[in-house]
C-alpha cells in the first residue's frame, strides 16, 4: 500500500523543506490512515475467530467509516458505538451517512457511558450466539493497542524506502494525534530503525495530554511485546505531543485553520479538513516557526478524511475568495 511522498515548495522559511505523505490516496473507502489500521483490526478479528465487529467513535469518525465499509464488503456484522459530548452539534456528517450506507447498527451513548455500553453490546451479541470483537480490547478500551500500532510500524518502512532513494533522511515527522494509534506505530518504526527522527504528534482532541501520552505508551509497549522485541532504554522520551494547537478540542476550529485549508487547496491541491489534518497542518507550521527549527527536512503525514473536507466545503466554502 505504498503512497506517494511529494515535496511542497515554498511552504517553509529558514531553509526547511516540507514533504507530505499522501495516505489520503489509499485506494479503499476514500483513503486515509484508517485504511491501514482497519485492515490490521480486521485481520486480528479473523485470527481470534470472531464473527462480529464492534467499533467506536464519533459522528466525524474516519475509522468508523472505513471499518463499517470493510465489514460490509466482507459481509461481517458491524455495530458502532457512537459517543457524544455535552452540547455537541448533532448534525450528521458525510461520514455519518457513509456509515449508514454500510449498514452498521449505530448505538448512541454519552462520553461518560462508553464502558457500560460496550459491555451491554458484547453481552447481547454473545446471548445471540455471536463472537464479538471490540477493536479497542476490553470495555475500558485497553488490551489491543499494539494491533493498530502495527499498521504504521509497517508504513514506516515506506518512509525509509523513500529516504534511501533520496539519499537523505527526514528530521521530523508530524501527524495529527487523536486516538494515538498512528503516532504509536510511527514511534515503533522509528525505534526499530534506530534513526534520529522526531515523531511529532499534534493533539487535535480534548483528551488530556498525560492520558494521550499513556495511550501511545501502551500502544508502543503492546506492539513490542506482541512481536517479541525489547524496548530500548529511554524509549518513552520519544513520545512527543504538542497540545497547544487543539483549539477548544475535537471538532473545534477557527479562522486560522479555515485559512490554512483554503490556502493548501489552492496552492497544493491538498484536501485538508478542520477536524484532523487541517488543524494539524496549521499547528505544525505554527510550531516550526515558534521553535526556530532551521535547515531541516520535514514530513507531514496526510491521514485522510475526504468526506470531512467536503463537509467543510459545504459549510464554509460559500465565501468568495480569490487566489
Amino acid at each position: 500500500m505504498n503512497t506517494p511522498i511529494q515535496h511542497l515548495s515554498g511552504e517553509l522559511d529558514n531553509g526547511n523543506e516540507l514533504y507530505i505523505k499522501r495516505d489520503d490516496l489509499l485506494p479503499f473507502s476514500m483513503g486515509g490512515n484508517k485504511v491501514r489500521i482497519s485492515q490490521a483490526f480486521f485481520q486480528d478479528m479473523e485470527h481470534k475467530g470472531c464473527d462480529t465487529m464492534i467499533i467506536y467513535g464519533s459522528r466525524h469518525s474516519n475509522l468508523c467509516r472505513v471499518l463499517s465499509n470493510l465489514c460490509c464488503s466482507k459481509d461481517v456484522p458491524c455495530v458502532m458505538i457512537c459517543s457524544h459530548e455535552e452540547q455537541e452539534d448533532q448534525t450528521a456528517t458525510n461520514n455519518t451517512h457513509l456509515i449508514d450506507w454500510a449498514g452498521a447498527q449505530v448505538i448512541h451513548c454519552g462520553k461518560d457511558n462508553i464502558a457500560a455500553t460496550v459491555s451491554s453490546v458484547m453481552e447481547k451479541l454473545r446471548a445471540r450466539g455471536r463472537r464479538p470483537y471490540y477493536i479497542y480490547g476490553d470495555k475500558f478500551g485497553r488490551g489491543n493497542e499494539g494491533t493498530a500500532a502495527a499498521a504504521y510500524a509497517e508504513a514506516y518502512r515506506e518512509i525509509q524506502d523513500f529516504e534511501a532513494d533520496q539519499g537523505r533522511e527526514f528530521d521530523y515527522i508530524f501527524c495529527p494525534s487523536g486516538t494515538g494509534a498512528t503516532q504509536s506505530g510511527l514511534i515503533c518504526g522509528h525505534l526499530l530503525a534506530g534513526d534520529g527522527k522526531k515523531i511529532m504528534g499534534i493533539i487535535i482532541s480534548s483528551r488530556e495530554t498525560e492520558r494521550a501520552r499513556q495511550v501511545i505508551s501502551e500502544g508502543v509497549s503492546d506492539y513490542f511485546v506482541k512481536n517479541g522485541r525489547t524496548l530500548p532504554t529511554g524509549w518513552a522520551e520519544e513520545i512527543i505531543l504538542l497540545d497547544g494547537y487543539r483549539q477548544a478540542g475535537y471538532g473545534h476550529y477557527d479562522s486560522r485553520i479555515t485559512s490554512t485549508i483554503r490556502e493548501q487547496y489552492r496552492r497544493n491541491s491538498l484536501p485538508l479538513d478542520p477536524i484532523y489534518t487541517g488543524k494539524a497542518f496549521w499547528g505544525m507550521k505554527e510550531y516550526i516557526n515558534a521553535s526556530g527549527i532551521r535547515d531541516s527536512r520535514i514530513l507531514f503525514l496526510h491521514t485522510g478524511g475526504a468526506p470531512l473536507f467536503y463537509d467543510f466545503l459545504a459549510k464554509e466554502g460559500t465565501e468568495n475568495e480569490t487566489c
Side-chain angles (χ1 to χ4, degrees), residues 66-201:
V66 180
L67 274 171
S68 62
N69 196 174
L70 183 58
C71 286
C72 183
S73 70
K74 302 288 187 181
D75 199 26
V76 170
C78 179
V79 180
M80 175 188 175
I81 297 173
C82 183
S83 68
H84 307 278
E85 296 185 3
E86 291 185 9
Q87 300 179 337
E88 180 181 331
D89 181 3
Q90 299 297 316
T91 305
T93 68
N94 282 321
N95 277 344
T96 308
H97 297 314
L98 292 170
I99 292 165
D100 287 341
W101 276 18
Q105 178 187 356
V106 180
I107 298 174
H108 298 273
C109 72
K111 282 285 187 181
D112 58 351
N113 200 37
I114 299 167
T117 305
V118 171
S119 182
S120 174
V121 170
M122 295 279 279
E123 290 174 7
K124 289 177 181 178
L125 287 169
R126 287 174 180 142
R128 288 163 43 196
R130 309 300 300 186
R131 298 184 300 278
Y133 173 90
Y134 179 44
I135 59 173
Y136 291 127
D138 64 19
K139 66 179 182 179
F140 299 109
R142 296 191 175 100
N144 204 26
E145 296 85 358
T147 298
Y152 271 88
E154 180 66 30
Y156 196 85
R157 297 190 181 97
E158 297 175 16
I159 297 171
Q160 289 180 286
D161 289 343
F162 179 84
E163 291 174 322
D165 183 65
Q166 295 285 307
R168 183 182 171 191
E169 293 186 1
F170 291 109
D171 300 294
Y172 297 87
I173 299 177
F174 286 82
C175 67
S177 193
T179 64
T182 298
Q183 188 176 359
S184 296
L186 291 173
I187 292 171
C188 290
H190 157 62
L191 293 173
L192 291 172
D195 58 31
K197 280 189 277 298
K198 294 185 183 298
I199 312 300
M200 316 292 287

Side-chain angles (χ1 to χ4, degrees), residues 4-48:
I5 294 176
Q6 67 184 80
H7 180 234
L8 302 181
S9 60
E11 283 296 329
L12 298 176
D13 298 324
N14 298 322
N16 295 306
E17 294 181 60
L18 180 58
Y19 292 76
I20 186 166
K21 183 168 175 59
R22 298 291 305 273
D23 270 15
D24 59 311
L25 299 178
L26 285 168
F28 182 79
S29 194
M30 299 191 182
N33 62 331
K34 298 307 191 292
V35 173
R36 298 182 191 268
I37 292 171
S38 293
Q39 291 182 346
F41 279 137
F42 200 89
Q43 290 168 4
D44 189 53
M45 182 193 73
E46 291 182 317
H47 176 73
K48 291 176 177 174

Side-chain angles (χ1 to χ4, degrees), residues 169-233:
E169 293 186 1
F170 291 109
D171 300 294
Y172 297 87
I173 299 177
F174 286 82
C175 67
S177 193
T179 64
T182 298
Q183 188 176 359
S184 296
L186 291 173
I187 292 171
C188 290
H190 157 62
L191 293 173
L192 291 172
D195 58 31
K197 280 189 277 298
K198 294 185 183 298
I199 312 300
M200 316 292 287
I202 308 287
I203 296 181
I204 52 82
S205 71
S206 55
R207 176 179 281 173
E208 294 181 358
T209 305
E210 285 310 307
R211 174 56 183 152
R213 186 179 305 278
Q214 180 185 356
V215 168
I216 292 172
S217 176
E218 290 169 355
V220 175
S221 299
D222 191 41
Y223 172 83
F224 270 73
V225 168
K226 287 180 175 178
N227 287 275
R229 295 178 177 272
T230 302
L231 280 163
T233 302

